[in-house]
Amino acid sequence: MTLTAIALNCTLKADASAPSSTDAMLKVVADAFAARGVTVSDPVRVAALDIKPGVTSDEGDGDEWPALRRRILDADILILGGPIWMGQLGSVAKRVMERMDAFLSETDDQGRMPSYGKVAVCAIVGNEDGAHVSTAQTFQALNDVGFTIPAIGAVYWVGEAYGSTDFKDLPETPEKVTKTAAMLATNAAHLAGLLKERGYPGAE
């Protein structure tokens, strides 16, 4: 069975040429998925797109969300990557989740949102505390809009408190991060395969 994943880089840096610790973490996750036969997209730099504020699937002229929405729903797995700012996941990732709020009103005749049968994981980086609260809020939001979260659905790295070292600047990836990414990819691919073969039945 062929599985696909889309990686969203929700760094606050709109310039795709600017180095991003989120990209570095997404590379670790993508490599783990590739080792398990999952095809992962090149990371989408969300801040470089015109994703308008709102909670519908199309906010009008110039909105680039509809095209990104299609790519998200075409994939079997969503990898939502982003940085911690002020102790919580950055605003770009929050906008992505806000736009997916539209799924709540886009159900089929059995009450299933378009995201049903899709798996979501997250990859978080920062040089301040907040990984657990960011993961918790992200999982709840993604589950609310229909995604399924696997066991060990997140991988994160945070630097020393009050430090200035970024994940992208580490001389090598910490072993714990690599091992966690491997388990995340294993569980997510397994779950996505099950859901692709036999999705949720829905309810009338």
Side-chain angles (χ1 to χ4, degrees), residues 90-164:
S91 59
V92 175
K94 290 182 177 181
R95 177 157 297 185
V96 168
M97 292 185 283
E98 288 168 353
R99 293 302 302 270
M100 290 192 291
D101 185 79
F103 294 167
L104 294 167
S105 59
E106 296 174 350
T107 56
D108 64 14
D109 57 5
Q110 292 183 303
R112 295 171 295 196
M113 288 179 264
S115 48
Y116 267 41
K118 309 294 183 181
V119 171
V121 298
C122 61
I124 295 174
V125 292
N127 52 18
E128 60 178 294
D129 196 12
H132 279 185
V133 69
S134 297
T135 299
Q137 292 174 341
T138 301
F139 281 172
Q140 184 62 59
L142 291 171
N143 186 256
D144 282 347
V145 296
F147 288 92
T148 300
I149 311 300
I152 314 298
V155 59
Y156 67 86
W157 178 89
V158 291
E160 182 181 3
Y162 299 106
S164 59

Side-chain angles (χ1 to χ4, degrees), residues 62-75:
D63 187 15
E64 293 187 79
W65 174 253
L68 182 56
R69 175 187 180 277
R70 283 193 296 273
R71 292 187 62 187
I72 291 170
L73 294 177
D74 284 344

Side-chain angles (χ1 to χ4, degrees), residues 13 18 22 30-31 52 90 104 107 122 126 149 161-162 164 166 180 191 197 202:
K13 300 173 182 175
T22 303
D31 287 347
K52 297 187 179 300
L104 294 167
T107 56
C122 61
I149 311 300
Y162 299 106
S164 59
D166 292 332
T180 301
L191 181 57
E197 184 175 318

Side-chain angles (χ1 to χ4, degrees), residues 40-56:
V40 183
S41 73
D42 290 334
V44 177
R45 186 72 69 106
V46 178
L49 303 176
D50 186 5
I51 306 298
K52 297 187 179 300
V55 291
T56 72

